[in-house]
Amino acid sequence: MAFIGDSVAQNHMHSLLCLLSKEETPVPLLLEPNDSKNRIIDFNNSVKSSQTWHFPSHDFTVMALRSNFLVKAEERLAIHGSDSFIYNLNLNKVDDIWAQKLPSFDYAIFSGGHWFFRPNFLYQGIRMEPLDHLKELA
């Protein structure tokens, strides 16, 4: 089972992990440790390689894949080179972080939404349009 999305997806995975841990202690599995794109935030809010938890007695595996927008997104750099927290979104392309792994999941739970309420830009043809109008909906 995979939880795919932003921090809400991670919270859902952690909640399920806590519930299931009462029955059996899961075994943490590190998959693709050298793949920097497959990151999740662990319980201590530090960035780690994609973590997967396995419950051997039940042959059940659960993981979270961080994909804030579920589509291809690239952060724009601020003028001074720091994080801008403004993203270019390509709504025609899903995020490879989860798309390549999707066929291997029996269940995939998607969640997202928090990240769309910031100044972002989406591709429409070759022109990029701001999504600032979404702030009015928040």
Side-chain angles (χ1 to χ4, degrees), residues 14 22-23 26-27 29-31 40 50 69 89 93 101 103 114 125-127:
H14 289 153
K22 299 213 182 262
E23 179 65 27
V27 178
L29 304 174
L30 287 176
L31 301 177
I40 66 168
S50 191
F69 300 100
L89 306 178
K93 295 181 181 177
K101 292 177 169 44
H114 295 299
I126 59 171
R127 188 173 156 186

Side-chain angles (χ1 to χ4, degrees), residues 22-113:
K22 299 213 182 262
E23 179 65 27
E24 177 182 4
T25 302
V27 178
L29 304 174
L30 287 176
L31 301 177
E32 304 174 38
N34 296 323
D35 186 355
S36 63
K37 291 183 181 179
N38 294 323
R39 303 181 303 163
I40 66 168
I41 308 300
D42 71 359
F43 294 104
N44 298 317
N45 289 327
S46 62
V47 176
K48 291 202 171 185
S49 297
S50 191
Q51 277 193 343
T52 302
W53 300 91
H54 182 67
F55 295 84
S57 299
H58 297 85
D59 193 25
F60 180 74
T61 303
V62 63
M63 70 183 311
L65 292 171
R66 182 74 182 232
S67 178
N68 292 336
F69 300 100
L70 303 175
V71 296
K72 184 177 178 184
E74 294 178 3
E75 184 175 9
R76 291 179 162 209
L77 289 179
I79 294 172
H80 45 74
S82 64
D83 295 335
S84 67
F85 302 105
I86 298 173
Y87 292 82
N88 294 330
L89 306 178
N90 188 329
L91 301 179
N92 297 325
K93 295 181 181 177
V94 297
D95 192 344
D96 287 336
I97 288 173
W98 62 266
Q100 294 175 353
K101 292 177 169 44
L102 188 62
S104 67
F105 304 139
D106 291 325
Y107 299 97
I109 294 98
F110 293 88
S111 66

